[in-house]
Amino acid sequence: MGWRIRVRGQVQGVGFRPHVWQLAQRFGLNGEVLNDAEGVLIHCDAAPAAFITAITAEKPPLSRIDQIEVTEAEFEASSGFVIAASGTKGAETRVTPDAATCPACCDEIHGDGRRAGYAFTNCTHCGPRFTILNALPYDRAQTTMAPFTMCPDCAAEYADPADRRFHAQPIACPTCGPRIWAEPEGDAIIVTAERILAGQIVAIKGLGGFHICCDATNPTAIETLRTRKNRPTKPLALMATLDTIHRYARVTDADLALLTDPAAPIVLLPKADALPDALTPHQNQLGWMLPYTPLHHLLIETVGRPLVMTSGNLSGEPQVIGNDEAREKLGRFADAFLMHDRDIARRLDDSVERAKPPMILRRARGRVPSTIPLPEGFEDAPQVLALGGQMKGAICLTKNREALLGHHLGDLDDVLCAEEFEKAVTDYSALFDHKPTVVAVDAHPGYRATRYGQTLGLPIVEAWHHHAHLASCLAENGWPLSGGPVAGIILDGTGLGPDGTLWGGEVLLGDYRAAKRVGGLTPAPLAGGDRAAREPWRNAMARLDQAGLCDWADELFPDAPRDILRHAVTKGLNAPLSSSAGRLFDAVAAVVGLCPMAQSYEGEAAMALEALVDTSIDGAYTFGEDNGWIDPSPIWGQIRDDLRRGVSPSQIATHFHRGLAHAFADVARDLFEQGKVAAVALSGGCYQNVALFTMTKARLEGIPTLVHREIPANDGGLALGQAMIAAAQSI
């Protein structure tokens, strides 16, 4: 007789088997440890309590243990303890996300050993994982490192339990591993740095795809990049050392913890010292990340300046990952390339996050494919495939009481992004051995994801857009299936509602199984349909006309085709009604003069308006309210009067944000005080707005409030909510 110890969680590809082996040596155990389809499996001749405790207490830094099961089992152990070959192929366990270069590997590339200056240095505590993985179990033969045969030195490290590279699957060195080169030719790091410092644009192959890079202190280089990439105003991400970030940004302890997290996301930080305004026009923050591969470390330190590191793609298309693909597509605006010969298994953009309040705006590299446990009551949930929405595409798989929300796939309006979406469904399904019995989709029949789901030949659950936002927030917060109804304040752009109109500013009363609208913004026409999302003046005119302020709209937008649009609105031509909070933000921004005629990217006007907010300013605009319905008509006269009195745009922006936050929070508070709900949930893309978020939370003080932290509040989290709705309806 012996013992069988099953460890479930994020335990593959993180040095867990070596960890167990070393503990077994300490406790004098005989047996084996291996990876298999369910995680890590240990067979041993004894299972002392101290050994079981140490498995968790001393676990590797990248691991997460969900469960340890210890049972007696038939096992004949020979003398000693070994790391056995992986079990049968399968996918019942988590895959570890890619991790930034650890301090020990950083020291090594800056030292004088055999990995000095080597761009692919890694160990069990850092390096590529998901971006190189082709199949489970996570072994070298199942990754894009398979073509690189270990040299004797690397093989010795790999086999040495005392070495931090013991069973590190991507182990490599200059003798046997991947290599980098520059195009045109030259010493890869040095010539690339020289080109960047000379103002050139360089395409750099990284971990999950290519970046387009230039000197972040060079206004001419930034303008050249923007012109070539047709990206006139959208913020550009930056990469730098920590010392450099401290120089150019205000970094709190929470920011520092997030910057140095193994996920190494882009972190939004307030501006401090001057960098060119062209990096983030009309914004008061910049997105910073630390170098997260040895290649990045070597380049950043050679350049000695902050670098622009924006996604390497054509506008609207997926990020480029292949060398030939990069030469074809990125050669249109890059002067040079920094390449390498390790293949990228899947495209992963950089994650984008905030530290305070904690929130993930784009969930990608470093965060995927980690999972979240399904809440109480979903123990018997079927395997569900949820396909998300049209914007910020992401899929979700549920299996074995966990939900896996996939990586950011872009907007499915783009044909190539739609193709990547379909590839991702195939990829995740195969990788995680997922066999869904039901598919969840958005109820909008025109969404590409919805139409794709209908081709899969499985039962379909259609989830209303804003109900899915609510369910996503409930799931992230572990709200039980039997937890009862909550009040959901759902504020975003647009999504189809059950009444056939486009919602976007709702108070919902509901749970996973169902939700009904009990309040929200009074609707207004989207004059010109989709164009209203790109041209804020259209929303401003519609709302001002509703408020009886047509003359002011004429004064504000004298050159716009107002009469044509008003005729179309009157006739109901391409002017669907919408309660969109996002379009209300656009309208206010346009009235105060922020990109009124056109936005160059989604949310530009609203983000510029948020950047004006000064929370030290008291006061709020007064909205109309009738039985839960919030009418913005009264605020327009207040804004007009303030503008004519010379009140600052900052005060106007602050009063609008606080007024909107109070109006919605008060409706939800009434539901709570009437005993109709046990909590309030905040979801939808507008709650990425820190000012709106904090003002709403403050107004709800004393009421249990559920918010997003690890799942995007925007449509990137929609698939999780869809999956939960389908699961709840299937139980």
Side-chain angles (χ1 to χ4, degrees), residues 57-398:
E58 301 175 30
K59 64 183 178 66
L62 296 181
S63 67
R64 287 202 306 274
I65 296 175
D66 291 339
Q67 191 175 21
I68 296 181
E69 303 164 2
V70 182
T71 57
E72 284 191 290
E74 291 289 341
F75 176 66
E76 293 184 9
S78 58
S79 178
F81 194 94
V82 300
I83 295 179
S86 296
T88 57
K89 180 180 177 180
E92 303 297 325
T93 188
R94 294 176 179 171
V95 179
T96 307
D98 304 277
T101 308
C102 70
C105 285
C106 279
D107 289 343
E108 198 167 4
I109 65 174
H110 294 120
D112 55 8
R114 67 191 189 91
R115 290 190 178 87
Y118 184 55
F120 299 92
T121 301
N122 66 83
C123 69
T124 54
H125 304 313
C126 68
R129 300 293 197 276
F130 194 45
T131 51
I132 63 170
L133 182 66
N134 289 320
L136 286 175
Y138 175 65
D139 287 321
R140 191 183 185 92
Q142 307 270 43
T143 74
T144 61
M145 285 296 296
F148 302 97
T149 302
M150 282 184 274
C151 67
D153 286 338
C154 284
E157 291 170 330
Y158 183 86
D160 181 2
D163 196 286
R164 77 175 195 278
R165 293 191 170 89
F166 188 37
H167 282 248
Q169 304 307 329
I171 186 173
C173 76
T175 300
C176 63
R179 66 184 184 92
I180 60 172
W181 68 90
E183 296 180 8
E185 294 181 357
D187 180 282
I189 297 297
I190 293 175
V191 75
T192 298
E194 290 173 348
R195 287 167 180 158
I196 290 169
L197 291 170
Q200 293 189 10
I201 312 300
V202 181
I204 298 173
K205 188 177 184 181
L207 195 61
F210 275 79
H211 285 112
I212 300 298
C213 175
C214 73
D215 180 355
T217 68
N218 185 333
T220 302
I222 295 165
E223 189 58 39
T224 299
L225 185 153
R226 286 196 176 280
T227 300
R228 292 181 184 177
K229 203 169 184 286
N230 190 26
R231 187 173 177 170
T233 58
K234 191 173 183 179
L236 298 169
L238 306 178
M239 180 181 282
T241 64
L242 196 55
D243 287 344
T244 300
I245 294 176
H246 276 292
R247 174 183 172 187
Y248 289 107
R250 297 191 295 274
V251 182
T252 67
D253 289 345
D255 295 328
L256 180 61
L258 189 54
L259 282 166
T260 56
D261 186 274
I266 296 170
V267 180
L268 300 181
L269 302 174
K271 294 179 182 177
D273 201 354
L275 281 171
D277 289 338
L279 290 170
T280 52
H282 313 300
Q283 299 297 312
N284 56 8
Q285 58 188 3
L286 288 165
W288 291 93
M289 59 182 158
L290 292 174
Y292 54 83
T293 71
L295 184 152
H296 293 131
H297 279 280
L298 295 167
L299 181 62
I300 286 283
E301 287 153 12
T302 304
V303 173
R305 298 179 186 177
L307 299 180
V308 168
M309 284 282 184
T310 190
S311 181
N313 62 334
L314 298 180
S315 183
E317 290 190 4
Q319 188 176 21
V320 169
I321 61 173
N323 293 346
D324 290 339
E325 180 189 17
R327 294 184 186 103
E328 176 190 351
K329 292 186 174 182
L330 306 185
R332 305 179 194 183
F333 41 78
D335 299 304
F337 293 87
L338 179 57
M339 299 284 206
H340 65 71
D341 58 355
R342 185 179 67 203
D343 288 341
I344 297 171
R346 57 189 52 78
R347 307 169 199 267
L348 285 184
D349 284 301
D350 298 310
S351 293
V352 181
E353 307 184 17
R354 279 197 180 95
K356 188 176 181 181
M359 62 174 68
I360 293 179
L361 287 73
R362 183 169 72 198
R363 192 170 184 270
R365 178 196 51 76
R367 298 301 182 193
V368 176
S370 61
T371 62
I372 67 167
L374 297 185
E376 179 185 332
F378 286 91
E379 291 80 6
D380 297 324
Q383 291 189 31
V384 179
L385 170 63
L387 299 178
Q390 186 80 349
M391 308 292 284
K392 298 176 177 61
I395 66 172
C396 183
L397 292 66
T398 64

Side-chain angles (χ1 to χ4, degrees), residues 368-437:
V368 176
S370 61
T371 62
I372 67 167
L374 297 185
E376 179 185 332
F378 286 91
E379 291 80 6
D380 297 324
Q383 291 189 31
V384 179
L385 170 63
L387 299 178
Q390 186 80 349
M391 308 292 284
K392 298 176 177 61
I395 66 172
C396 183
L397 292 66
T398 64
K399 183 177 180 180
N400 292 347
R401 304 181 187 179
E402 291 189 318
L404 193 164
L405 180 64
H407 60 281
H408 170 79
L409 293 165
D411 296 341
L412 304 192
D413 288 330
D414 179 83
V415 174
L416 292 180
C417 286
E419 291 176 359
E420 285 299 311
F421 164 82
E422 295 185 17
K423 289 179 185 177
V425 174
T426 302
D427 176 35
Y428 276 81
S429 297
L431 189 60
F432 297 99
D433 192 25
H434 191 252
K435 297 178 175 63
T437 59

